[in-house]
Each structure stands twice: as structure tokens, then as C-alpha cells.
Amino acid sequence: MIQQIRVTVNGESYELEVPAHRTLLDFLRKDLELMGTKSGCETGDCGACTVLLDGRPINSCLVLAVEADGKDVLTVEGLAHGLELHPLQEAFIEHGAVQCGYCTPGMLLSAQGPAG
Ligand code: FES
């Protein structure tokens, strides 16, 4: 079954048809080609796929794209303003918190929301 959704991602509005079973993670990576959100365990355990949904951190591997209909999504691509990094990104660099970097987008979004 295909469903139409309207979602705002990083301030940009999208209206697309998606399979009802598509996860938000796959929607972001495959449909919108936003590869910053990482796929790790795909079972809700690692947090690599964390994005903000209406300002709250969620595991995008456990949320269906259709559940984001009418909502606002922030991914790591939306943190920086042009070439100016978000203060959290600056802090991660300053303190050597990046390591291999695979989980960094999820950690940044977890640190950012909901109060950030
Ligand atoms: S990929 Fe591990 S929690 Fe989503």
C-alpha cells in the first residue's frame, strides 16, 4: 500500500508517496538521499538513527515514514547553518568526541533535543 505524506525535513517541505511499511530512516536515506542519518542495529538499541521528530529525539528505524506525516523532522544535515557548524558540532570537534564518526549524527541529535 502506498500513502502520500507531507513532511518538513530540515525546514524544507516534501510531499511524496511512500510505501506504508517504509521506515523514517529509509525514507530519509533512500527517498530524500539524506545520508547523514545512520543505520546501525535497526532494532532501536544503538541510537545511530536518531533524528528529532517535532523536536523530540526518536529512533528513525522504529518509526514509519507515514507517522511523520504533517510533522517536522530535523536531521544532522539541518544542524549547521551553511558553513557555520552548530555549537554541539563545534564542541564534539573540540573535545575529540567524534571517534569514527558513524554514531555522531545520532549523538548530536540526542544532545540537541528536546530542550536543546
Ligand atoms: S539503527 Fe540502531 S536504534 Fe535505529
Side-chain angles (χ1 to χ4, degrees), residues 37-66:
T37 305
K38 298 297 189 263
S39 174
C41 64
E42 297 192 8
T43 55
D45 293 316
C46 73
C49 66
T50 302
V51 299
L52 299 189
L53 184 62
D54 279 351
R56 303 194 61 82
I58 54 101
N59 293 328
S60 62
C61 68
L62 298 181
V63 173
L64 296 174
V66 295

Side-chain angles (χ1 to χ4, degrees), residues 37-111:
T37 305
K38 298 297 189 263
S39 174
C41 64
E42 297 192 8
T43 55
D45 293 316
C46 73
C49 66
T50 302
V51 299
L52 299 189
L53 184 62
D54 279 351
R56 303 194 61 82
I58 54 101
N59 293 328
S60 62
C61 68
L62 298 181
V63 173
L64 296 174
V66 295
E67 294 179 89
D69 185 30
K71 296 185 178 171
D72 190 68
V73 176
L74 180 69
T75 73
V76 71
E77 289 92 344
L79 272 183
H81 294 286
L83 296 177
E84 184 182 333
L85 293 179
H86 187 280
L88 282 169
Q89 292 169 310
E90 296 283 6
F92 269 55
I93 292 168
E94 183 181 336
H95 295 283
V98 174
Q99 304 295 313
C100 82
Y102 193 79
C103 297
T104 301
M107 288 191 244
L108 286 166
L109 273 300
S110 292

